[in-house]
Amino acid sequence: MPGFRIHDQLLSDCHRIGRFDISHVLLHRNAAVPWFVLVPETEVRELLDLPEGDRNLALKEAAIIAQFIKRELRYPKINFAAIGNVVSQLHLHIVGRREDDLCWPKPVWGNLNVFWEYSASRLREIAELLAQRYSLRRTP
């Protein structure tokens, strides 16, 4: 989509990892839990307002990230949300959870009181695994 931009707040909160067919793939900067954000390339603000084909594709891409979190990162539980109260641009949160994470069983929003930074090598490793096993296209 010509002129499409990811909201500045999302870019501030996340690392750009790559993209799928419809969604840009971001990884939240806080490495305390694996927290991915997908940003579908659309002007539509609500997931349920997307045309059916785009909605199905966005959900398929979210399921790919959920599968990655479960299989590769070994988190058994996924939290999924398309809230958009702070950033109105449509974006999907896919968060890996397990009983030993730092805010279990509460939601990560407002309850993740530590900040761990990803190392450059860990970011590369995650992006490479997604590219090799899950067809992520790397972006600069």
Side-chain angles (χ1 to χ4, degrees):
M1 168 183 284
F4 178 81
R5 286 192 65 227
I6 297 173
H7 192 282
D8 289 340
Q9 186 65 54
L10 295 175
L11 293 174
S12 174
D13 291 345
C14 300
H15 298 282
R16 288 183 89 144
I17 300 294
R19 68 168 294 147
F20 290 130
D21 290 334
I22 195 172
S23 301
H24 296 264
V25 180
L26 311 177
L27 178 61
H28 199 283
R29 290 187 185 281
N30 191 344
V33 293
W35 183 344
F36 288 84
V37 177
L38 298 186
V39 184
E41 199 162 300
T42 181
E43 295 302 318
V44 173
R45 292 182 174 209
E46 299 288 339
L47 176 65
L48 299 177
D49 291 338
L50 279 174
E52 184 176 7
D54 289 348
R55 183 176 59 244
N56 290 341
L57 186 53
L59 289 171
K60 177 183 175 186
E61 292 171 351
I64 289 169
I65 294 295
Q67 181 181 20
F68 172 79
I69 292 169
K70 286 181 172 184
R71 287 186 181 169
E72 310 298 334
L73 305 181
R74 306 275 188 227
Y75 279 73
K77 175 79 176 123
I78 300 296
N79 288 174
F80 174 79
I83 300 170
N85 293 349
V86 174
V87 174
S88 62
Q89 182 178 39
L90 176 59
H91 61 286
L92 312 174
H93 298 268
I94 306 100
V95 184
R97 302 297 308 274
R98 57 181 175 213
E99 291 183 14
D100 66 348
D101 74 40
L102 294 171
C103 60
W104 182 270
K106 297 175 183 171
V108 293
W109 295 272
N111 294 302
L112 201 53
N113 297 321
V114 300
F115 184 87
W116 295 339
E117 185 70 44
Y118 282 99
S119 67
S121 62
R122 183 63 176 149
L123 283 171
R124 270 192 312 278
E125 179 184 5
I126 288 170
E128 287 170 7
L129 272 173
L130 277 165
Q132 292 168 1
R133 298 183 185 167
Y134 298 89
S135 301
L136 178 82
R137 294 189 307 276
R138 302 288 300 274
T139 54

